[in-house]
Amino acid sequence: MNPRSIPPPTQQDVDEAVNLAIGAGVKGVALTYTWSTLEPMPNNIDLSQLQGALTYFNARNLQIYLGIQVINTVKREVPSDLNNVAFDSPQMATRFHALLDRVLPMLGSNAKYVSIGNEVDGYLAATNQWSTYRTFFEDAVAYIHGKRPETLVGVTSTFIGAKSGNLANVQALNTKSDVVIFTYYPLHGDFQVDAPNAPTTDFPLMLSWTGGKPLILQEVGYPSDAVTGSSPDLEAQFVTAAFTSWRAGGTRIPFFNYFIEHDFDPATCIALGQYYGIPNDPAFIGYLCSLGLRADDDAVKPAWDAFVTGAASH
């Protein structure tokens, strides 16, 4: 529920974006933070951003999905003194327990899901740390269950990564998870889009991978920029197909988060390209900068109307 970014948004713009989404039928929110943001200095935990978001969205009675990004797609996002510590070391577990001891009591009854790591398959495949991260993750699952038995815990992987060779490792990593979590952007490696009806086959494929556990879609998105082979009309067709496929999944897909309400502004897209190590790829930047249902200046794209129609029929 990000606000329009041009001109720079005010708190009123944030409120209007949230109210617009809720008015369209949105009933939940995904809040994601890197561990290094929550613990910016070793043993110095700062939960002010998280507390502010929880207060804000709890007041609107939205179901809350919390992502703690120990890994964020391409990087470890741990406190600086843990950068070279193995994931399966007692030190790593002890420090993460200390963070959870502070975070879990804050969550409240609206918080149903916690993800430990975002799009971890990218980093784990590149570094071959599947085994050590699985040890860390399973310890975190058990610790959270001991503190908040009602919380459903998972770890986020990418649909593309699972489909292109990491499925066995992703499934092994999810042995002790309560839910199986994916981000879903149907793209080729060159950031060209699949056909907009891809969800009609891809959602059932993801469901076939979960071993009967609920499927959580942390992010579902599709660009509209022509440089990705897409268009505003194709983006709208994708939104319709995504909602149709979500309905077909029934109760097996209890949480579906569309990404995002407004396009990112160009400066944010460039910064993200640098973070992911792909700063000069026009297709990657075009993909990042056109995922919104509405433009960065709040102009309505066809995808927004498709979203409103899909939400009303779910």
Side-chain angles (χ1 to χ4, degrees):
M1 289 179 273
N2 64 317
R4 61 127 184 92
S5 54
I6 299 175
T10 64
Q11 183 60 48
Q12 181 179 344
D13 295 316
V14 173
D15 295 340
E16 289 177 355
V18 171
N19 292 337
L20 185 66
I22 292 173
V26 170
K27 298 174 182 173
V29 60
L31 305 177
T32 57
Y33 301 87
T34 62
W35 184 358
S36 56
T37 296
L38 300 174
E39 190 176 340
M41 299 284 288
N43 298 300
N44 182 11
I45 295 171
D46 180 0
L47 303 181
S48 54
Q49 289 185 44
L50 173 59
Q51 183 62 76
L54 290 170
T55 299
Y56 185 86
F57 290 111
N58 276 322
R60 287 154 176 80
N61 200 32
L62 294 173
Q63 186 178 94
I64 290 171
Y65 168 107
L66 175 63
I68 302 177
Q69 300 174 341
V70 179
I71 293 170
N72 187 28
T73 312
V74 296
K75 296 181 179 180
R76 290 167 64 113
E77 285 286 2
V78 300
S80 58
D81 64 320
L82 299 178
N83 281 335
N84 297 313
V85 176
F87 283 119
D88 60 351
S89 72
Q91 181 185 2
M92 187 73 78
T94 298
R95 287 283 291 282
F96 197 63
H97 292 177
L99 177 67
L100 293 173
D101 285 343
R102 294 279 303 278
V103 169
L104 295 177
M106 297 169 54
L107 294 185
S109 60
N110 286 340
K112 186 168 185 179
Y113 306 103
V114 173
S115 168
I116 307 299
N118 179 53
E119 298 185 329
V120 299
D121 52 299
Y123 179 84
L124 296 179
T127 60
N128 194 29
Q129 295 181 53
W130 291 100
S131 177
T132 57
Y133 194 78
R134 178 177 173 181
T135 298
F136 171 83
F137 171 67
E138 291 184 350
D139 174 81
V141 172
Y143 195 78
I144 294 171
H145 285 167
K147 297 286 185 176
R148 272 180 65 103
E150 71 276 20
T151 301
L152 301 179
V153 188
V155 53
T156 307
S157 303
T158 67
F159 168 78
I160 294 297
K163 186 180 179 182
S164 62
N166 291 327
L167 179 58
N169 283 318
V170 167
Q171 289 178 316
L173 184 58
N174 276 278
T175 300
K176 296 293 181 66
S177 67
D178 302 307
V179 292
V180 177
I181 309 171
F182 286 105
T183 59
Y184 176 70
Y185 301 94
L187 303 166
H188 305 301
D190 56 358
F191 303 106
Q192 299 299 295
V193 295
D194 288 343
N197 66 347
T200 61
T201 54
D202 290 343
F203 281 30
L205 182 60
M206 284 187 280
L207 284 169
S208 76
W209 294 341
T210 69
K213 295 176 181 178
L215 170 64
I216 303 300
L217 296 173
Q218 175 187 291
E219 300 166 23
V220 173
Y222 196 87
S224 61
D225 195 312
V227 74
T228 68
S230 188
S231 70
D233 286 339
L234 290 179
E235 182 188 26
Q237 292 175 36
F238 171 82
V239 171
T240 298
F243 270 105
T244 299
S245 303
W246 181 30
R247 285 194 299 274
T251 59
R252 295 189 63 194
I253 311 177
F255 190 91
F256 169 104
N257 180 50
Y258 199 88
F259 193 91
I260 49 179
E261 189 172 347
H262 291 85
D263 286 338
F264 291 132
D265 62 278
T268 297
C269 297
I270 291 170
L272 288 170
Q274 293 171 339
Y275 179 89
Y276 290 113
I278 317 175
N280 301 312
D281 187 326
F284 184 61
I285 300 300
Y287 149 67
L288 289 175
C289 252
S290 65
L291 288 168
L293 298 164
R294 303 166 74 97
D296 54 9
D297 62 356
D298 202 32
V300 178
K301 297 160 74 173
W304 174 256
D305 294 329
F307 179 84
V308 172
T309 299
S313 63
H314 186 77

